[in-house]
Amino acid sequence: MESSRPSLSPTPSIGPALPFPLEEGAIRARTQASIAGAERDLHDLLASSSPRTVSGFLVPLERVLLSVRTMGDQGDTLFAVHPDLSSRAAGREASEAADRFFNAVFLNADLYRDLGALDLTSADEATRYAVEKMRRDMRRSGVEKAPEERTRLLELANAIDRVCNTYFENTTREVRSIEVEGREGLPGLPADYLAGHPPDSRGRVRITTQYPDALPVLTYCERPEVRKRMLFEMLNRAYPANVPVLAEMLERRDEFARSLGYPRWADFALEDRMAGRPEVVREFLERVASLVREPSARERAWLLARKRRDEPGAERLEPWDTRMFGDGFYETLLRREEFGVDTKALRRFFPYAQVRDGLFALCEDLLGLSIRPADGAEVWHPTVEVYDVRTAASFLGRFYLDLVPRAGKYDHAAHFTICRGVEGMQLPVGALVCNFLNPRVNADSARMEYTNVVTFFHEFGHLLHALFSGHGPRYYTTMAHVERDFIEAPSQLFEEWARDAPTLRRFARDPESGETPSEELFGRLKAGVALGRASAWMRQLALSTTALEYYDRDPHGLDTSALLREVYRRYDSVPVYPEYHLETNWTHLTGYSAAYYTYVWSAVIARDLLTPFREKGSLTDPEVAQRYVREILAPGGSRPAAELVRRFLGRDFDLAAFSAWVREAPMPPDSVAEPG
C-alpha cells in the first residue's frame, strides 16, 4: 500500500505518467494508503523526543501535509474532469478524506504546542511567516477550545466539506437544453456554429447549457424568445436540487463561525483576507459603485435606446437582452453598428491553435519561458493537452489543458492545482479546465470567441502564478496560501495582454485567407470591447454584495432567491425574475463563500499593477515583466500580499487606475445619455 502514496522526491522530477491513478479502485486504494501513512507519520513525529527545529520537525511535518494535500488536490481535479462517474465519485472521496485529515490536524493541540515551541532563532522571514500562518489557521479552526468543543467543530468542518461538494456536483452534473426548429430558428448565429449544430431527424436543433453551445445563442441570436429560453435553462441548473443544499451550507458555516465566537461566517471568512472585515468590504464596494454607477446607467440607456429601434414600445432591458452570460446581445449589436466590430467575423482570426501558440510565444519573449508539448504524457481524456515549462536555468513545471466540454465535467473555467510546488519536495503541476471549444469541431481549427480569448489569458495568469510560486521553501509559501482576495489580481492583470494590439498581432490571423486585422480594426476593437464595462462591474458589485449578505445574517429561513433579487435592484435596472435561480448553480458560494468581492478587489489591484508597464509605454517591456515575476508571482504566500504590492508599486494600491479604465469606455450620444 505504501507505493500508492504520493511521492515527494528530494530531487523532484516529472515523468510521463499522470501523478494520480484513473481507475476507481486504484483511486480509493491510494486515498486509504495516503491517509493511513500520513496519520502514522504525524503520530511518530509528535511522539519523537527530538528537538523542535526547522529541519528536524517542520520539514518532516511539511512533507506529511504536502503528501495529503497533493492527494486531495488531485481528488478535486478528478472530481471535476474524470469522464467516468464512479471515478469522479472516488475523486470526491479523496478530496473529502484530505479535508478531514486537515480538519483534524488543525485541531491537534499537541501539534499546536510543538509549533509554538519551534526553534526559529536562525529561521528566515519566509519560514517565520509560514509558521505564524499555520498557527493562525489552527486557532481559527478552534485548537484552543476545550476537547468537547473541538469534537463538535471537527464534525461541522467535515459536514461543510461534504455539503460544498454536493452543491458543486449537482451543478456540474446537470446539463439542460432547449430545442429550436431547424437552423432557421437561430438567425444571427455564426456559420461555423450552425455547421456544428445540424438538425436531428425531426428537423430540430438541440442547444445545451454547456458554454460553447449556450453563450453564442445569448450573444447573437436575433430571436429574443430563444435567448429567453436559453437564459432560463442556464440560470436554473441544479434547481431545485441545490435549494436545500445551499440552505445547509449557510447554516453549517454560520454555526461553525458562531462556535468560534464570530458574529457570522462573513466575519470568520474575511479575517485572514486583505480586507479583514465585512465593513471594510462594504465600504470598498460602495466606493467602487460610486465610480461606475453613472457610466453604467448611461450604458444601459444606450442599450435600451437601441432595443427600442427593434421594439418601439420597450420599457426596459430584459436579462436576455444584455450581458448576463457571454457578451450580451445588444452590447454586441452596438459594437458592430457603432464601432464596426463584428465579433462573429472576429472569430475567424482566432483559431484555437493560433491563440494557444501565440500565448506561449508571448510567455517566451516576455517571461523567458519555454513551453513545449510533454510528448508521451498520460492524460485523463483524449482531448487533453500536456506541456512542460522551462526557464533558461531550470524545469519550472507542467500543465494540462482540458478545454473541450463533456458530460459531467466542470462547466465553467478555472485553474486546478495538481501538485503544489515546494523546493526540494515536488514541482508545481496545474490544469486549466475550461469549456471554450466546440466538441463537434476539430480543436485546432475551432474558432474562439474573443471573450474566450480574454478568459484563456485570465486562467493562464493563475497558472503562471502557481508555476512561479511553486519553488518556494515552505508548504505555506505556495500560491494556495496567498490572501484569497488577492488571488485574482495576477490573472486579471494577464487579461490585459489579450487586449493589447501588439500581442494580438502575434496570432490573430485568418488561416484560410491569411488576412490579419488592420490597425484601424484593432483601434475599433479596443473601443468596442470597452462598451458595457461599467455595467459589467455593476453586476460584479451586485454579486459581491449578495454573497456577503448570504453569509452575514441569520441563515435560518433565509430566502436566498428573494435576497439576490433585492440586492440586484440596488445596482441594476435590468430585472432578475423570481423564476431565475442563479443561487443554485453559483459554485463560487462554496470556495469563495462571502468573499466573491475578490474579483472587484483584485481588479482594482490589477489595474494598478499595470502602472509600471504603462509608465514604460509598453506591456511587453521585459525588465518590468521580470520584476513583476520576482516581486509579485514568485514570492507566493511568503509575505503579506499588501507588502508584495507595496514593493512593486512603491506605494499602497488605490482606485485611480481602475477608475480611469472604467471611464475610458465609450459613452452614448447626449440624446440617449439620460437613463430611462
Side-chain angles (χ1 to χ4, degrees), residues 161-191:
D161 291 333
R162 287 194 302 272
V163 75
C164 287
N165 280 335
T166 298
Y167 182 99
F168 180 91
E169 184 173 26
N170 288 346
T171 301
T172 57
R173 180 181 294 181
E174 182 173 1
V175 177
R176 294 183 171 221
S177 65
I178 65 170
E179 290 186 346
V180 298
E181 289 290 345
R183 290 171 174 162
E184 61 274 14
L186 296 168
L189 271 293

Side-chain angles (χ1 to χ4, degrees), residues 390-434:
R390 291 176 170 82
T391 66
S394 65
F395 191 93
L396 196 65
R398 173 173 289 178
F399 66 89
Y400 298 78
L401 296 180
D402 187 347
L403 308 183
V404 181
R406 58 182 174 271
K409 179 188 165 187
Y410 176 68
D411 65 350
H412 197 53
H415 167 263
F416 281 76
T417 298
I418 292 177
C419 296
R420 303 181 188 200
V422 177
E423 184 180 22
M425 295 190 190
Q426 67 182 18
L427 291 165
V429 181
L432 297 192
V433 180
C434 309

